[in-house]
Amino acid sequence: GAADAAGLHDRAMAGEAGYAVADAGAVYLMWWQPYIGLPYDEAHCWHLVCRVYQDHCGVTLPTYAEVSARDLIRVAREISKGQESWQPVTDPQPFDVALMRGRSAVWHVGVMTDARHVLHTERATDAVRVPIDAMHMRGRVTGFRRYQA
């Protein structure tokens, strides 16, 4: 069956699948590096999450192919509500999904690369990895969700 994100973190902690673990327990293999610079037009935020989960977790998430990049509010809100196997967590780990808001509502998602950095894509930046406490990110992250198969 498909491995869930929490199981992947556990495997990394055990040293499996080529993942390395720092003394503090953080997964430090830079699995996220090939996604940096990926054009927004090739993978808007939810498609980036789907791609990461398929590539690294063996999980095929619904693509919501009918949803345009401009209509991701519904996807982000469904995840925010804990729908579709997404459980709220307060201690983000690699492969957890970060929920982000615009002016007032959750409308954007990204993938945590560790407890302090998120991989996400926006039209202005393409795919980037940034600290969640960076000036332009402060107040945007509203929570984290972990996929449970």
PDB file of all heavy atoms in Angstrom, residues 73-97:
ATOM      1  N   ILE A  73      -9.275  27.976  -3.633  1.00  0.00           N
ATOM      2  CA  ILE A  73      -9.848  28.244  -2.315  1.00  0.00           C
ATOM      3  C   ILE A  73     -10.585  27.014  -1.800  1.00  0.00           C
ATOM      4  O   ILE A  73     -10.431  26.626  -0.643  1.00  0.00           O
ATOM      5  CB  ILE A  73     -10.780  29.470  -2.367  1.00  0.00           C
ATOM      6  CG1 ILE A  73      -9.966  30.720  -2.680  1.00  0.00           C
ATOM      7  CG2 ILE A  73     -11.543  29.632  -1.062  1.00  0.00           C
ATOM      8  CD1 ILE A  73     -10.803  31.939  -2.986  1.00  0.00           C
ATOM      9  N   ARG A  74     -11.354  26.368  -2.658  1.00  0.00           N
ATOM     10  CA  ARG A  74     -12.126  25.199  -2.244  1.00  0.00           C
ATOM     11  C   ARG A  74     -11.212  24.083  -1.750  1.00  0.00           C
ATOM     12  O   ARG A  74     -11.461  23.468  -0.712  1.00  0.00           O
ATOM     13  CB  ARG A  74     -12.990  24.698  -3.403  1.00  0.00           C
ATOM     14  CG  ARG A  74     -13.837  23.493  -3.036  1.00  0.00           C
ATOM     15  CD  ARG A  74     -14.790  23.139  -4.176  1.00  0.00           C
ATOM     16  NE  ARG A  74     -14.090  22.857  -5.402  1.00  0.00           N
ATOM     17  CZ  ARG A  74     -13.764  21.632  -5.807  1.00  0.00           C
ATOM     18  NH1 ARG A  74     -14.071  20.592  -5.078  1.00  0.00           N
ATOM     19  NH2 ARG A  74     -13.132  21.449  -6.940  1.00  0.00           N
ATOM     20  N   VAL A  75     -10.134  23.811  -2.467  1.00  0.00           N
ATOM     21  CA  VAL A  75      -9.194  22.764  -2.072  1.00  0.00           C
ATOM     22  C   VAL A  75      -8.587  23.085  -0.718  1.00  0.00           C
ATOM     23  O   VAL A  75      -8.578  22.258   0.192  1.00  0.00           O
ATOM     24  CB  VAL A  75      -8.086  22.588  -3.142  1.00  0.00           C
ATOM     25  CG1 VAL A  75      -7.040  21.602  -2.657  1.00  0.00           C
ATOM     26  CG2 VAL A  75      -8.685  22.135  -4.462  1.00  0.00           C
ATOM     27  N   ALA A  76      -8.081  24.289  -0.564  1.00  0.00           N
ATOM     28  CA  ALA A  76      -7.444  24.680   0.689  1.00  0.00           C
ATOM     29  C   ALA A  76      -8.431  24.625   1.857  1.00  0.00           C
ATOM     30  O   ALA A  76      -8.090  24.188   2.952  1.00  0.00           O
ATOM     31  CB  ALA A  76      -6.841  26.079   0.569  1.00  0.00           C
ATOM     32  N   ARG A  77      -9.662  25.027   1.616  1.00  0.00           N
ATOM     33  CA  ARG A  77     -10.661  24.999   2.686  1.00  0.00           C
ATOM     34  C   ARG A  77     -11.028  23.570   3.079  1.00  0.00           C
ATOM     35  O   ARG A  77     -11.246  23.287   4.256  1.00  0.00           O
ATOM     36  CB  ARG A  77     -11.905  25.775   2.274  1.00  0.00           C
ATOM     37  CG  ARG A  77     -11.663  27.265   2.325  1.00  0.00           C
ATOM     38  CD  ARG A  77     -12.905  28.036   2.020  1.00  0.00           C
ATOM     39  NE  ARG A  77     -12.615  29.468   2.045  1.00  0.00           N
ATOM     40  CZ  ARG A  77     -13.346  30.379   1.462  1.00  0.00           C
ATOM     41  NH1 ARG A  77     -14.425  30.043   0.794  1.00  0.00           N
ATOM     42  NH2 ARG A  77     -13.007  31.647   1.535  1.00  0.00           N
ATOM     43  N   GLU A  78     -11.107  22.665   2.107  1.00  0.00           N
ATOM     44  CA  GLU A  78     -11.412  21.268   2.427  1.00  0.00           C
ATOM     45  C   GLU A  78     -10.300  20.662   3.282  1.00  0.00           C
ATOM     46  O   GLU A  78     -10.566  19.963   4.256  1.00  0.00           O
ATOM     47  CB  GLU A  78     -11.608  20.442   1.152  1.00  0.00           C
ATOM     48  CG  GLU A  78     -12.882  20.769   0.411  1.00  0.00           C
ATOM     49  CD  GLU A  78     -14.125  20.578   1.268  1.00  0.00           C
ATOM     50  OE1 GLU A  78     -14.297  19.495   1.848  1.00  0.00           O
ATOM     51  OE2 GLU A  78     -14.921  21.535   1.370  1.00  0.00           O
ATOM     52  N   ILE A  79      -9.056  20.948   2.936  1.00  0.00           N
ATOM     53  CA  ILE A  79      -7.937  20.454   3.740  1.00  0.00           C
ATOM     54  C   ILE A  79      -7.977  21.101   5.115  1.00  0.00           C
ATOM     55  O   ILE A  79      -7.772  20.451   6.135  1.00  0.00           O
ATOM     56  CB  ILE A  79      -6.594  20.713   3.036  1.00  0.00           C
ATOM     57  CG1 ILE A  79      -6.507  19.859   1.775  1.00  0.00           C
ATOM     58  CG2 ILE A  79      -5.429  20.397   3.973  1.00  0.00           C
ATOM     59  CD1 ILE A  79      -5.315  20.178   0.918  1.00  0.00           C
ATOM     60  N   SER A  80      -8.263  22.387   5.156  1.00  0.00           N
ATOM     61  CA  SER A  80      -8.319  23.125   6.411  1.00  0.00           C
ATOM     62  C   SER A  80      -9.346  22.526   7.367  1.00  0.00           C
ATOM     63  O   SER A  80      -9.137  22.467   8.577  1.00  0.00           O
ATOM     64  CB  SER A  80      -8.646  24.592   6.135  1.00  0.00           C
ATOM     65  OG  SER A  80      -8.707  25.328   7.320  1.00  0.00           O
ATOM     66  N   LYS A  81     -10.468  22.051   6.830  1.00  0.00           N
ATOM     67  CA  LYS A  81     -11.522  21.468   7.655  1.00  0.00           C
ATOM     68  C   LYS A  81     -11.167  20.052   8.110  1.00  0.00           C
ATOM     69  O   LYS A  81     -11.926  19.443   8.841  1.00  0.00           O
ATOM     70  CB  LYS A  81     -12.840  21.428   6.875  1.00  0.00           C
ATOM     71  CG  LYS A  81     -13.479  22.790   6.719  1.00  0.00           C
ATOM     72  CD  LYS A  81     -14.884  22.653   6.168  1.00  0.00           C
ATOM     73  CE  LYS A  81     -14.864  22.661   4.660  1.00  0.00           C
ATOM     74  NZ  LYS A  81     -16.172  22.599   4.035  1.00  0.00           N
ATOM     75  N   GLY A  82     -10.041  19.516   7.637  1.00  0.00           N
ATOM     76  CA  GLY A  82      -9.664  18.163   8.018  1.00  0.00           C
ATOM     77  C   GLY A  82     -10.330  17.107   7.154  1.00  0.00           C
ATOM     78  O   GLY A  82     -10.406  15.956   7.533  1.00  0.00           O
ATOM     79  N   GLN A  83     -10.822  17.503   5.999  1.00  0.00           N
ATOM     80  CA  GLN A  83     -11.457  16.562   5.091  1.00  0.00           C
ATOM     81  C   GLN A  83     -10.394  15.747   4.356  1.00  0.00           C
ATOM     82  O   GLN A  83      -9.229  16.097   4.328  1.00  0.00           O
ATOM     83  CB  GLN A  83     -12.324  17.308   4.068  1.00  0.00           C
ATOM     84  CG  GLN A  83     -13.427  18.123   4.702  1.00  0.00           C
ATOM     85  CD  GLN A  83     -14.437  17.265   5.419  1.00  0.00           C
ATOM     86  OE1 GLN A  83     -14.900  16.270   4.893  1.00  0.00           O
ATOM     87  NE2 GLN A  83     -14.751  17.647   6.636  1.00  0.00           N
ATOM     88  N   GLU A  84     -10.853  14.668   3.745  1.00  0.00           N
ATOM     89  CA  GLU A  84     -10.012  13.844   2.884  1.00  0.00           C
ATOM     90  C   GLU A  84      -8.732  13.391   3.562  1.00  0.00           C
ATOM     91  O   GLU A  84      -7.643  13.487   3.007  1.00  0.00           O
ATOM     92  CB  GLU A  84      -9.700  14.576   1.577  1.00  0.00           C
ATOM     93  CG  GLU A  84     -10.976  14.934   0.839  1.00  0.00           C
ATOM     94  CD  GLU A  84     -10.726  15.301  -0.591  1.00  0.00           C
ATOM     95  OE1 GLU A  84      -9.758  14.810  -1.175  1.00  0.00           O
ATOM     96  OE2 GLU A  84     -11.517  16.084  -1.116  1.00  0.00           O
ATOM     97  N   SER A  85      -8.855  12.913   4.791  1.00  0.00           N
ATOM     98  CA  SER A  85      -7.743  12.294   5.523  1.00  0.00           C
ATOM     99  C   SER A  85      -6.671  13.268   5.989  1.00  0.00           C
ATOM    100  O   SER A  85      -5.560  12.864   6.279  1.00  0.00           O
ATOM    101  CB  SER A  85      -7.094  11.191   4.683  1.00  0.00           C
ATOM    102  OG  SER A  85      -8.042  10.240   4.307  1.00  0.00           O
ATOM    103  N   TRP A  86      -6.962  14.530   6.089  1.00  0.00           N
ATOM    104  CA  TRP A  86      -5.994  15.521   6.546  1.00  0.00           C
ATOM    105  C   TRP A  86      -6.247  15.840   8.014  1.00  0.00           C
ATOM    106  O   TRP A  86      -7.278  16.415   8.351  1.00  0.00           O
ATOM    107  CB  TRP A  86      -6.078  16.792   5.707  1.00  0.00           C
ATOM    108  CG  TRP A  86      -5.705  16.557   4.287  1.00  0.00           C
ATOM    109  CD1 TRP A  86      -6.545  16.368   3.232  1.00  0.00           C
ATOM    110  CD2 TRP A  86      -4.383  16.452   3.767  1.00  0.00           C
ATOM    111  NE1 TRP A  86      -5.825  16.162   2.086  1.00  0.00           N
ATOM    112  CE2 TRP A  86      -4.493  16.211   2.388  1.00  0.00           C
ATOM    113  CE3 TRP A  86      -3.110  16.543   4.332  1.00  0.00           C
ATOM    114  CZ2 TRP A  86      -3.393  16.062   1.561  1.00  0.00           C
ATOM    115  CZ3 TRP A  86      -2.003  16.405   3.511  1.00  0.00           C
ATOM    116  CH2 TRP A  86      -2.152  16.165   2.151  1.00  0.00           C
ATOM    117  N   GLN A  87      -5.319  15.483   8.875  1.00  0.00           N
ATOM    118  CA  GLN A  87      -5.474  15.683  10.308  1.00  0.00           C
ATOM    119  C   GLN A  87      -4.674  16.887  10.782  1.00  0.00           C
ATOM    120  O   GLN A  87      -3.507  17.033  10.405  1.00  0.00           O
ATOM    121  CB  GLN A  87      -5.017  14.433  11.058  1.00  0.00           C
ATOM    122  CG  GLN A  87      -5.780  13.179  10.659  1.00  0.00           C
ATOM    123  CD  GLN A  87      -7.279  13.332  10.833  1.00  0.00           C
ATOM    124  OE1 GLN A  87      -7.737  13.786  11.875  1.00  0.00           O
ATOM    125  NE2 GLN A  87      -8.037  12.974   9.811  1.00  0.00           N
ATOM    126  N   PRO A  88      -5.254  17.733  11.627  1.00  0.00           N
ATOM    127  CA  PRO A  88      -4.527  18.893  12.146  1.00  0.00           C
ATOM    128  C   PRO A  88      -3.346  18.443  13.013  1.00  0.00           C
ATOM    129  O   PRO A  88      -3.464  17.483  13.771  1.00  0.00           O
ATOM    130  CB  PRO A  88      -5.557  19.628  13.000  1.00  0.00           C
ATOM    131  CG  PRO A  88      -6.873  19.045  12.649  1.00  0.00           C
ATOM    132  CD  PRO A  88      -6.636  17.678  12.114  1.00  0.00           C
ATOM    133  N   VAL A  89      -2.228  19.129  12.883  1.00  0.00           N
ATOM    134  CA  VAL A  89      -1.054  18.887  13.727  1.00  0.00           C
ATOM    135  C   VAL A  89      -0.474  20.233  14.143  1.00  0.00           C
ATOM    136  O   VAL A  89      -0.651  21.232  13.456  1.00  0.00           O
ATOM    137  CB  VAL A  89       0.037  18.036  13.025  1.00  0.00           C
ATOM    138  CG1 VAL A  89      -0.453  16.626  12.767  1.00  0.00           C
ATOM    139  CG2 VAL A  89       0.489  18.670  11.726  1.00  0.00           C
ATOM    140  N   THR A  90       0.191  20.239  15.271  1.00  0.00           N
ATOM    141  CA  THR A  90       0.821  21.477  15.745  1.00  0.00           C
ATOM    142  C   THR A  90       2.331  21.424  15.639  1.00  0.00           C
ATOM    143  O   THR A  90       2.998  22.436  15.810  1.00  0.00           O
ATOM    144  CB  THR A  90       0.433  21.749  17.210  1.00  0.00           C
ATOM    145  OG1 THR A  90       0.804  20.622  17.996  1.00  0.00           O
ATOM    146  CG2 THR A  90      -1.060  22.021  17.329  1.00  0.00           C
ATOM    147  N   ASP A  91       2.880  20.249  15.351  1.00  0.00           N
ATOM    148  CA  ASP A  91       4.325  20.054  15.251  1.00  0.00           C
ATOM    149  C   ASP A  91       4.680  19.626  13.827  1.00  0.00           C
ATOM    150  O   ASP A  91       4.826  18.449  13.556  1.00  0.00           O
ATOM    151  CB  ASP A  91       4.781  18.992  16.256  1.00  0.00           C
ATOM    152  CG  ASP A  91       4.107  17.651  16.012  1.00  0.00           C
ATOM    153  OD1 ASP A  91       2.972  17.617  15.484  1.00  0.00           O
ATOM    154  OD2 ASP A  91       4.727  16.615  16.323  1.00  0.00           O
ATOM    155  N   PRO A  92       4.771  20.581  12.894  1.00  0.00           N
ATOM    156  CA  PRO A  92       4.974  20.204  11.490  1.00  0.00           C
ATOM    157  C   PRO A  92       6.252  19.404  11.276  1.00  0.00           C
ATOM    158  O   PRO A  92       7.286  19.680  11.889  1.00  0.00           O
ATOM    159  CB  PRO A  92       5.027  21.541  10.755  1.00  0.00           C
ATOM    160  CG  PRO A  92       5.409  22.535  11.791  1.00  0.00           C
ATOM    161  CD  PRO A  92       4.832  22.026  13.085  1.00  0.00           C
ATOM    162  N   GLN A  93       6.122  18.406  10.427  1.00  0.00           N
ATOM    163  CA  GLN A  93       7.230  17.545  10.035  1.00  0.00           C
ATOM    164  C   GLN A  93       7.330  17.565   8.518  1.00  0.00           C
ATOM    165  O   GLN A  93       6.418  18.036   7.839  1.00  0.00           O
ATOM    166  CB  GLN A  93       6.978  16.116  10.518  1.00  0.00           C
ATOM    167  CG  GLN A  93       6.884  15.974  12.009  1.00  0.00           C
ATOM    168  CD  GLN A  93       6.513  14.554  12.428  1.00  0.00           C
ATOM    169  OE1 GLN A  93       6.339  13.661  11.609  1.00  0.00           O
ATOM    170  NE2 GLN A  93       6.392  14.349  13.721  1.00  0.00           N
ATOM    171  N   PRO A  94       8.428  17.035   7.970  1.00  0.00           N
ATOM    172  CA  PRO A  94       8.520  16.961   6.514  1.00  0.00           C
ATOM    173  C   PRO A  94       7.282  16.279   5.920  1.00  0.00           C
ATOM    174  O   PRO A  94       6.790  15.287   6.472  1.00  0.00           O
ATOM    175  CB  PRO A  94       9.780  16.124   6.283  1.00  0.00           C
ATOM    176  CG  PRO A  94      10.623  16.405   7.484  1.00  0.00           C
ATOM    177  CD  PRO A  94       9.639  16.506   8.619  1.00  0.00           C
ATOM    178  N   PHE A  95       6.784  16.850   4.844  1.00  0.00           N
ATOM    179  CA  PHE A  95       5.656  16.370   4.063  1.00  0.00           C
ATOM    180  C   PHE A  95       4.297  16.735   4.649  1.00  0.00           C
ATOM    181  O   PHE A  95       3.275  16.428   4.051  1.00  0.00           O
ATOM    182  CB  PHE A  95       5.750  14.863   3.772  1.00  0.00           C
ATOM    183  CG  PHE A  95       7.042  14.491   3.115  1.00  0.00           C
ATOM    184  CD1 PHE A  95       8.050  13.866   3.820  1.00  0.00           C
ATOM    185  CD2 PHE A  95       7.276  14.812   1.788  1.00  0.00           C
ATOM    186  CE1 PHE A  95       9.255  13.550   3.226  1.00  0.00           C
ATOM    187  CE2 PHE A  95       8.476  14.499   1.181  1.00  0.00           C
ATOM    188  CZ  PHE A  95       9.468  13.873   1.898  1.00  0.00           C
ATOM    189  N   ASP A  96       4.251  17.418   5.787  1.00  0.00           N
ATOM    190  CA  ASP A  96       2.979  17.958   6.244  1.00  0.00           C
ATOM    191  C   ASP A  96       2.619  19.123   5.325  1.00  0.00           C
ATOM    192  O   ASP A  96       3.494  19.739   4.711  1.00  0.00           O
ATOM    193  CB  ASP A  96       3.069  18.459   7.692  1.00  0.00           C
ATOM    194  CG  ASP A  96       3.109  17.327   8.706  1.00  0.00           C
ATOM    195  OD1 ASP A  96       2.787  16.172   8.345  1.00  0.00           O
ATOM    196  OD2 ASP A  96       3.467  17.603   9.868  1.00  0.00           O
ATOM    197  N   VAL A  97       1.345  19.426   5.223  1.00  0.00           N
ATOM    198  CA  VAL A  97       0.879  20.522   4.376  1.00  0.00           C
ATOM    199  C   VAL A  97       0.644  21.757   5.243  1.00  0.00           C
ATOM    200  O   VAL A  97       0.005  21.684   6.288  1.00  0.00           O
ATOM    201  CB  VAL A  97      -0.397  20.125   3.612  1.00  0.00           C
ATOM    202  CG1 VAL A  97      -1.027  21.324   2.915  1.00  0.00           C
ATOM    203  CG2 VAL A  97      -0.076  19.040   2.598  1.00  0.00           C
TER     204      VAL A  97
END
